Amino acid sequence: MLRVITKPTPSRRPRFQHHWRFARNSVCAAATATVVATLLPVAAAQAAPPTTVAAAQARVDQLNEQAEAITEQYNAAQARLDAAKRTVATANADAAKARTQFEVARQSASRFAAQSYEAGGTAPVLSVVLTGGEPADVVARMSALEQVSRAQGAVLTAARTADQRYRQKVAASAQAQKAASTITKQLTAQKQQITNLLAQSQRVLAQLTAQQRAQMLAAQRAKEAADRARAAAVLAAARQAQAAERASRAQSRPANLAPALPQTANGASVAQRAVAAAMTRLGMPYRWGAAGPNSFDCSGLVQWAYGQAGVATAHYTGAFWNAYRHVSYNELRPGDLVFFYPDHHHVGIYIGNGMMVNAPQTGDVVKVASVMGHGRYSGAVRVVG
């Protein structure tokens, strides 16, 4: 389906704000018709204008699919960057702790030297060697004292060990910072790829005639109306089934027994709560990299919905696919995650009767759609149960 593309913007993640990110709302469903009808020509594309509405639609869908695939790569890289930043913080803290331990060892050696000097020993040399400076310099000066007494040697050994630990922690911190820098560059490159793909899609739309735009808009409105009708039917059936199940349990359970299964206040399971949460976001705009509460990409909607149900998840389709139990299409039940395309880069939340709720693509909104009507179904997983 055609989706009108505004100037692409990545999201800001809740925990981190980076210089390569910027945020701006995508178009919502209510504005789609106006944007399509009034889209102004942009710079002329090199490719020939599409000759048919179907050709233009196919090209836009292809570009949006490519952009979404890279979006999920971006989400995966963002998760790696978050982990790398935590590693950097831990390594820096470890290095600071090791430096403190070295200073304690050095001061202990200095005190030993002073005590030995006051007692008339040979330790004045030790006192000179252990006077301040960087750990490496101090340890280098220690090499002249390897023949001192056993007690002095033990003090020196402790200082050497502390110095080695400090150097290791500093090296670990530098390595972690390098890894974070590499991921940052990758994110910047992926952001540019997404921006370029969405700009190409916008140019395709700009090449359409007014009549072609009207045809696409009519088709879009018809499909959205059908989706809304199917969503209403699915939700009504789900509510009736839940009510019937509650009534059946109440009739079959003795009055003095507690419910056999854990229940929430409204009798919904975790998966049902996730579905209910996702359905409250219908009409919210798609924005790549976003995870709610007012805009989403496909994996961001899953993360947010299950978060509302008390389950923490990643923000990446690949993590969903690898982390949870796989189920067949015939086993699907509400709350399961359904995937599309060979690399599983698109995901929706199954709501029953062959339907799912998902955040489809740039320019679109969170909506209900047919699982098999979306394209290239590739499998499903169950988050809970």
Side-chain angles (χ1 to χ4, degrees):
M1 171 175 291
L2 168 67
R3 294 298 163 205
V4 179
I5 300 167
T6 58
K7 187 175 182 180
T9 58
S11 70
R12 289 185 297 178
R13 301 285 290 278
R15 289 180 297 164
F16 299 102
Q17 295 183 2
H18 304 294
H19 67 278
W20 63 84
R21 299 184 191 148
F22 53 93
R24 182 182 175 189
N25 287 337
S26 302
V27 293
C28 66
T32 301
T34 301
V35 176
V36 171
T38 60
L39 182 64
L40 297 177
V42 295
Q46 298 298 320
T51 57
T52 66
V53 170
Q57 183 70 75
R59 180 57 178 157
V60 169
D61 289 345
Q62 180 187 45
L63 292 168
N64 284 339
E65 180 186 333
Q66 292 174 6
E68 187 181 36
I70 298 174
T71 293
E72 287 307 310
Q73 295 173 17
Y74 178 96
N75 290 338
Q78 182 64 64
R80 291 197 301 274
L81 179 61
D82 293 346
K85 290 173 73 69
R86 291 191 293 270
T87 300
V88 168
T90 299
N92 287 341
D94 288 346
K97 182 179 179 180
R99 177 59 187 258
T100 299
Q101 291 171 341
F102 172 81
E103 288 299 327
V104 169
R106 183 178 66 81
Q107 291 170 11
S108 176
S110 296
R111 285 193 299 271
F112 180 85
Q115 293 168 359
S116 297
Y117 178 75
E118 291 172 358
T122 59
V125 177
L126 179 62
S127 179
V128 173
V129 171
L130 293 175
T131 302
E134 287 298 313
D137 295 335
V138 173
V139 173
R141 292 196 296 260
M142 288 178 180
S143 62
L145 302 174
E146 292 179 349
Q147 301 303 318
V148 295
S149 69
R150 180 177 301 175
Q152 290 171 329
V155 171
L156 293 175
T157 297
R160 286 182 183 276
T161 300
D163 171 65
Q164 291 173 353
R165 185 181 301 112
Y166 170 69
R167 292 190 189 195
Q168 291 170 352
K169 298 302 182 182
V170 168
S173 175
Q175 184 176 6
Q177 290 171 345
K178 183 178 179 180
S181 177
T182 299
I183 298 172
T184 297
K185 293 178 181 178
Q186 180 183 354
L187 285 167
T188 301
Q190 289 171 333
K191 183 186 78 171
Q192 187 60 52
Q193 285 181 288
I194 296 169
T195 299
N196 292 342
L197 287 167
L198 298 183
Q200 290 181 52
S201 183
Q202 189 174 27
R203 285 196 292 271
V204 171
L205 295 175
Q207 292 171 339
L208 298 176
T209 66
Q211 182 179 5
Q212 287 175 321
R213 293 174 196 161
Q215 291 173 357
M216 290 182 122
L217 178 58
Q220 179 177 331
R221 284 174 169 169
K223 187 175 187 308
E224 289 176 347
D227 286 343
R228 286 193 298 270
R230 283 184 291 183
V234 169
L235 291 175
R239 284 193 292 268
Q240 291 176 358
Q242 290 171 9
E245 183 181 357
R246 288 195 295 270
S248 176
R249 285 199 302 264
Q251 291 177 357
S252 62
R253 186 174 62 248
N256 62 339
L257 293 183
L261 297 175
Q263 299 291 312
T264 63
N266 62 358
S269 69
V270 170
Q272 289 169 332
R273 280 185 285 158
V275 169
M279 295 301 288
T280 68
R281 302 295 93 185
L282 291 177
M284 294 294 179
Y286 178 101
R287 191 171 77 234
W288 66 272
N294 298 317
S295 59
F296 304 87
D297 61 18
C298 68
S299 56
L301 178 64
V302 172
Q303 183 187 49
W304 184 86
Y306 266 96
Q308 303 311 297
V311 177
T313 73
H315 181 183
Y316 172 44
T317 56
F320 302 152
W321 181 259
N322 293 323
Y324 305 121
R325 181 167 68 88
H326 289 239
V327 295
S328 70
Y329 182 82
N330 292 333
E331 297 175 299
L332 284 177
R333 64 191 190 197
D336 291 345
L337 306 185
V338 287
F339 295 82
F340 304 86
Y341 307 106
D343 61 353
H344 319 300
H345 71 252
H346 184 72
V347 65
I349 304 174
Y350 188 69
I351 63 174
N353 293 347
M355 306 293 286
M356 67 176 177
V357 57
N358 74 136
Q361 60 189 14
T362 296
D364 210 334
V365 297
V366 175
K367 65 197 307 180
V368 169
S370 168
V371 172
M372 288 307 181
H374 184 82
R376 286 194 277 180
Y377 173 79
S378 59
V381 301
R382 181 160 297 153
V383 178
V384 292

